[in-house]
Amino acid sequence: MTMLPPAFADLERFAETWCLSSESERYARRLSSSMQELLTFYNACFPRVEDALAYCDKFPLEELPDDAIHLLHLVYSLVMVAMAVEIFQQPKPVDSADAELERVAQPWP
């Protein structure tokens, strides 16, 4: 079973791991991933982000089909991973001591 739109079949291998519906889940996944896993995801998804957003923009927010919601969640994960790749060069934020990210409410979708 596929999670992403057919035009994004090349990213399907990341869907089960990175199509996460909450920021807390995405952050936990980033922290539990190796830098190589993050780089592999980032390098595959970053070049497709504009296409992904253009695909999602075809639909009203309230009417996003499931595959577009999954694609949007993948983009959200890419944002989380990009900080580790581009800024910290490691999964955990630099000089953050025991800081944790925990939301009490989630944006939709």
Side-chain angles (χ1 to χ4, degrees):
M1 185 173 118
T2 61
M3 295 176 69
L4 301 176
F8 298 90
D10 58 312
L11 302 179
E12 190 67 42
R13 63 188 166 129
F14 301 106
E16 189 175 332
T17 303
W18 291 104
C19 291
L20 304 169
S21 61
S22 76
E23 187 173 5
S24 298
E25 290 175 299
R26 292 186 287 273
Y27 187 65
R29 174 66 66 187
R30 183 182 101 185
L31 293 180
S32 68
S33 298
S34 70
M35 202 56 205
Q36 185 56 51
E37 290 169 323
L38 297 179
L39 284 167
T40 299
F41 174 66
Y42 177 88
N43 288 335
C45 293
F46 187 79
R48 302 293 314 278
V49 73
E50 288 185 31
D51 294 337
L53 293 175
Y55 179 85
C56 292
D57 282 344
K58 293 179 183 179
F59 307 97
L61 189 58
E62 304 80 26
E63 298 175 20
L64 282 171
D66 287 344
D67 62 353
I69 290 174
H70 293 297
L71 185 60
L72 192 56
H73 289 164
L74 196 73
V75 170
Y76 293 164
S77 289
L78 178 62
V79 171
M80 185 70 68
V81 168
M83 293 179 69
V85 171
E86 296 174 3
I87 298 169
F88 304 126
Q89 284 94 47
Q90 63 181 28
K92 188 175 184 210
V94 176
D95 297 327
S96 64
D98 292 330
E100 292 185 23
L101 175 66
E102 187 165 337
R103 282 206 181 261
V104 294
Q106 297 293 326
W108 184 87

